[in-house]
Amino acid sequence: MNILIVHAHPEPLSFTTALKDHAVQVLENIGHAVEVSDLYAMNFNPVASQADFDSRSNQEYLNYALEQRHASKTHDLAQDIQIEIEKVQKADLLIFSFPMYWTSVPAILKGWIDRVFVSGIFYGGKRFYNHGGMLGKKAMLSFTLGGRDHMFGQNAIHGAIDDLLLPIQRGTLAYVGFDVLPPFIAYHVPYITDEARQQLLQQYQQHLQNLEQLQALEFPKLEQFDDKLYPL
């Protein structure tokens, strides 16, 4: 497979970065081709703006999604966006590598999504979920957080981790057509021993070595009928 890891951590010596580096090594040893977009190292601009378009269909009012759609047709997207789009299009599997911030992704990764998941290519009109532009591709989260695993669950203090991940796993990745694989989660990372971190690296290795056996998460699908989309 061709695999793209989009990595978002400001510290090269972090355990999140260690997970990313380990993933590259493990996946390449298996025989996959791996590419990394290290957003902080790239100094990636996360701010969506009119500068993202070399030309615009409406010079008086910026509707960002409509301008994305126009620029994707006229090939007028900013170069840094176009480069990342081509990386995703080449990839069979997209992995987001990040520390969880406030039950979400870091701002630089959210900005990457805002700018790169372009209307007209990734989604738009009737193209979403199992009709999305990334249909046939897979995606997965790999992230670290400070909380303990027992703090997440239906009756736990933070609630179910799957509920916290819905905006990114369902509302973003599945929305644009990806089959979303189960995430790899490293709990309580700032407070555990080096031995525990080594165990997490081993667990991540097993997770990656079994990618082909992982069952994609289930989300509602849509069927097309009389120019409308209905839940199955």
Side-chain angles (χ1 to χ4, degrees):
M1 284 193 297
N2 292 316
I3 299 174
L4 172 63
I5 301 175
V6 180
H7 177 67
H9 199 293
E11 176 50 66
L13 298 179
S14 69
F15 185 70
T16 307
T17 302
L19 285 170
K20 179 264 295 181
D21 292 342
H22 193 56
V24 172
Q25 180 180 8
V26 169
L27 292 169
E28 288 183 341
N29 286 344
I30 296 172
H32 300 302
V34 184
E35 189 167 15
V36 176
S37 286
D38 186 336
L39 300 186
Y40 282 97
M42 294 160 58
N43 196 27
F44 183 82
N45 173 22
V47 180
S49 74
Q50 61 184 3
D52 292 343
F53 313 109
D54 294 337
S55 69
R56 284 170 50 187
S57 61
N58 186 339
Q59 294 292 334
E60 297 181 356
Y61 183 88
L62 177 63
N63 182 311
Y64 192 78
L66 292 182
E67 293 299 342
Q68 283 185 323
R69 195 174 304 182
H70 170 75
S72 68
K73 293 177 181 178
T74 58
H75 307 288
D76 284 327
L77 289 164
Q79 185 178 17
D80 62 336
I81 297 174
Q82 187 61 45
I83 289 172
E84 295 304 300
I85 290 173
E86 291 173 3
K87 291 179 185 178
V88 179
Q89 290 176 324
K90 178 182 175 182
D92 303 297
L93 170 65
L94 170 66
I95 298 176
F96 284 161
S97 167
F98 62 95
M100 178 175 278
Y101 288 174
W102 294 105
T103 72
S104 186
V105 299
I108 197 169
L109 178 52
K110 178 58 166 63
W112 183 93
I113 295 168
D114 291 345
R115 298 182 69 221
V116 175
F117 281 18
V118 168
S119 178
I121 298 176
F122 286 75
Y123 73 99
K126 301 171 186 175
R127 298 174 61 194
F128 56 98
Y129 291 112
N130 52 304
H131 297 274
M134 296 298 107
L135 190 65
K137 297 179 180 291
K138 298 177 182 180
M140 187 185 83
L141 306 182
S142 170
F143 64 94
T144 59
L145 71 166
R148 297 177 182 271
D149 56 356
H150 68 77
M151 302 172 78
F152 297 88
Q154 290 297 335
N155 298 314
I157 187 66
H158 294 316
I161 191 71
D162 289 343
D163 292 344
L164 300 181
L165 298 177
L166 274 177
I168 182 67
Q169 291 193 142
R170 179 175 179 173
T172 303
L173 295 172
Y175 183 83
V176 300
F178 286 108
D179 287 329
V180 184
L181 301 181
F184 181 81
I185 307 171
Y187 292 97
H188 207 48
V189 163
Y191 314 105
I192 59 178
T193 64
D194 287 341
E195 180 181 0
R197 291 190 180 97
Q198 289 301 316
Q199 292 175 353
L200 284 171
L201 289 171
Q202 293 175 8
Q203 292 169 14
Y204 192 30
Q205 179 170 333
Q206 293 173 355
H207 192 87
L208 295 169
Q209 290 173 336
N210 289 288
L211 286 175
E212 299 293 345
Q213 287 71 48
L214 295 177
Q215 294 295 314
L217 304 178
E218 292 189 9
F219 299 113
K221 296 185 183 299
L222 297 161
E223 63 178 347
Q224 195 164 347
F225 179 75
D226 289 340
D227 294 327
K228 295 182 180 179
L229 292 166
Y230 295 94
L232 288 175

